[in-house]
Amino acid sequence: MSDAFNILNQEYEKCDATKKVISSVSNNWFNSLSIEDKKSVLPIVDYMAMRRCTKDADAEYSLVLVDYAAETGDFKPLEAWVGLIGINKSMHESIMRLGMSNLLELSKSEEFLKPIMLMETAEQLDLLP
């Protein structure tokens, strides 16, 4: 389990190193949103980009945890992992309100293919007070 965890950490570090700041967005749907909705969208598309970036390591670690739970009956590590990689209530509400298809399309645009630096991007897009 520790080998899979180390690989997972390395993958997250590699993905963190690719984070960038976005200073403009060319997506018409995103640009038509209110400031508050834009602030809701950024963490969601960042989450989606991080999931894409770490998907292989996430899957391998998940399998290791499932195997561990099956062998030992200890589901705590698996439950903790699912809690960490899952979306929170606020993100879920935003997805339901804004529409998954719009978010998916935006997340696949050039600007959001890689994880972003959230605060710096929000600042560049004039979303912060």
Side-chain angles (χ1 to χ4, degrees):
M1 190 158 60
S2 66
D3 287 343
F5 184 73
N6 289 335
I7 291 169
L8 180 70
N9 276 336
Q10 290 171 0
E11 196 65 22
Y12 271 82
E13 287 174 8
K14 187 168 48 169
C15 292
D16 274 341
T18 69
K19 285 188 173 193
K20 61 184 179 179
V21 177
I22 297 170
S23 58
S24 67
V25 177
S26 61
N27 182 280
N28 290 334
W29 173 76
F30 179 83
N31 290 327
S32 73
L33 296 174
S34 69
I35 289 175
E36 289 307 310
D37 283 344
K38 288 176 182 176
K39 286 194 246 182
S40 296
V41 165
L42 289 181
I44 295 169
V45 293
D46 178 56
Y47 172 86
M48 295 165 93
M50 186 60 86
R51 295 278 65 79
R52 274 193 303 270
C53 188
T54 62
K55 69 181 176 184
D56 293 338
D58 285 353
E60 181 61 32
Y61 189 63
S62 296
L63 288 174
V64 167
L65 290 176
V66 167
D67 288 345
Y68 172 81
E71 291 173 13
T72 66
D74 179 7
F75 286 82
K76 288 180 185 173
L78 179 59
E79 290 169 354
W81 172 241
V82 169
L84 284 173
I85 64 169
I87 61 170
N88 63 37
K89 183 179 178 182
S90 174
M91 286 173 71
H92 180 264
E93 290 169 354
S94 294
I95 290 168
M96 298 305 292
R97 184 172 40 80
L98 296 166
M100 191 62 188
S101 62
N102 291 323
L103 292 162
L104 278 173
E105 182 181 330
L106 181 64
S107 79
K108 293 177 182 176
S109 67
E110 186 65 33
E111 295 102 339
F112 296 105
L113 282 176
K114 300 281 185 186
I116 60 173
M117 299 174 87
L118 282 173
M119 292 304 289
E120 293 87 344
T121 294
E123 184 176 42
Q124 286 293 310
L125 297 176
D126 292 325
L127 303 179
L128 299 179

